[in-house]
């Protein structure tokens, strides 16, 4: 692996998804024509860049790896102004974009996969029948109005709890914004 660009970035995303969906990750690697060793090397290289004293920091690292953002717009959270930066990731998820939210000083607060503007939201059936990799966090929040986000306090992961009409709760786990697991 010579450089680190959008293809390698997708491989890096797969490493955390492997914890939940090893079969889907292996199929994705086969589709991309890469071995387990290659996607692990991409993950390790990304981790090295994140911790390097000489690599760019924050948004500058994403720019160095992914190039200029394909889309950029302002987002307000209360009185705080942030900027959403989105990149196409050709290959595995053509209807999704990687979004990095940056704050003051281009500090990246959060990064995950989101649905591309104008891309159709998949038909989501009952929460218990949602398939891994079928939707992103915003798809679930739009489909299930009672859904509540939760931070599982693990980097790259996000949770959503969806109330069950019978009184229980469905727990959905996302990695980089893409659904990985549904459980009660």
């Amino acid at each position: 692996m010579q450089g680190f660009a959008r293809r390698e970035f997708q491989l890096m995303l797969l490493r955390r998804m492997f914890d939940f969906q090893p079969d889907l990750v292996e199929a994705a690697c086969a589709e991309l024509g890469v071995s387990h060793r290659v996607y692990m090397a991409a993950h390790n290289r990304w981790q090295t860049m994140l911790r390097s004293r000489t690599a760019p920091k924050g948004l500058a690292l994403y720019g160095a790896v992914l190039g200029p953002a394909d889309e950029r717009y302002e987002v307000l959270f209360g009185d705080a102004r942030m900027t959403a930066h989105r990149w196409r990731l050709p290959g595995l998820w053509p209807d999704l974009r990687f979004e990095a939210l940056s704050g003051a000083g281009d500090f990246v607060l959060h990064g995950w996969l989101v649905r591309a503007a104008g891309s159709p939201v998949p038909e989501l059936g009952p929460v218990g029948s949602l398939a891994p990799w079928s939707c992103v966090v915003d798809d679930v929040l739009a489909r299930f109005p009672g859904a509540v986000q939760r931070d599982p306090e693990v980097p790259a992961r996000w949770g959503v709890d969806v109330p069950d009409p019978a009184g229980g709760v469905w727990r959905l786990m996302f990695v980089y914004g893409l659904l990985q697991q549904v459980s009660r």
Side-chain angles (χ1 to χ4, degrees), residues 2 20 27 29 38 64 69 73-75 78 81 95 106-107 110 124-125 138 140 144 156-157 169 172 174-175 183:
Q2 294 295 322
F20 291 94
C29 286
V38 171
Y73 58 92
E74 198 170 275
V75 179
R81 291 183 187 274
D95 293 338
D106 286 338
F107 178 81
H110 187 63
L124 300 180
D138 284 343
V140 169
F144 303 102
R157 295 186 186 171
V169 174
L172 285 64
F174 296 80
V175 172
S183 60

Side-chain angles (χ1 to χ4, degrees), residues 33-174:
V34 298
S35 67
H36 177 83
R37 183 185 59 77
V38 171
Y39 94 82
M40 285 301 296
H43 168 75
N44 292 338
R45 189 150 177 223
W46 176 255
Q47 293 300 316
T48 299
M49 287 188 292
L50 284 176
R51 289 161 178 73
S52 170
R53 290 180 306 160
T54 59
K57 300 293 180 218
L59 189 61
L61 177 59
Y62 288 91
V65 168
L66 300 171
D70 298 307
E71 302 169 46
R72 186 176 296 112
Y73 58 92
E74 198 170 275
V75 179
L76 294 174
F77 284 98
D79 291 338
R81 291 183 187 274
M82 299 194 322
T83 305
H85 308 265
R86 289 185 173 186
W87 292 267
R88 283 179 293 105
L89 296 177
L92 296 176
W93 305 292
D95 293 338
L96 303 180
R97 302 292 180 263
F98 186 80
E99 178 182 82
L101 291 174
S102 67
D106 286 338
F107 178 81
V108 175
L109 301 164
H110 187 63
W112 61 1
L113 294 165
V114 297
R115 184 131 336 262
S119 178
V121 176
E123 186 69 33
L124 300 180
V127 67
S129 67
L130 294 177
W133 292 21
S134 65
C135 56
V136 294
V137 172
D138 284 343
D139 297 341
V140 169
L141 295 175
R143 165 66 174 82
F144 303 102
V148 177
Q149 297 182 66
R150 63 183 163 76
D151 182 355
E153 299 177 8
V154 176
R157 295 186 186 171
W158 200 252
V160 175
D161 290 343
V162 180
D164 184 294
V169 174
W170 290 96
R171 301 205 101 178
L172 285 64
M173 182 60 67
F174 296 80

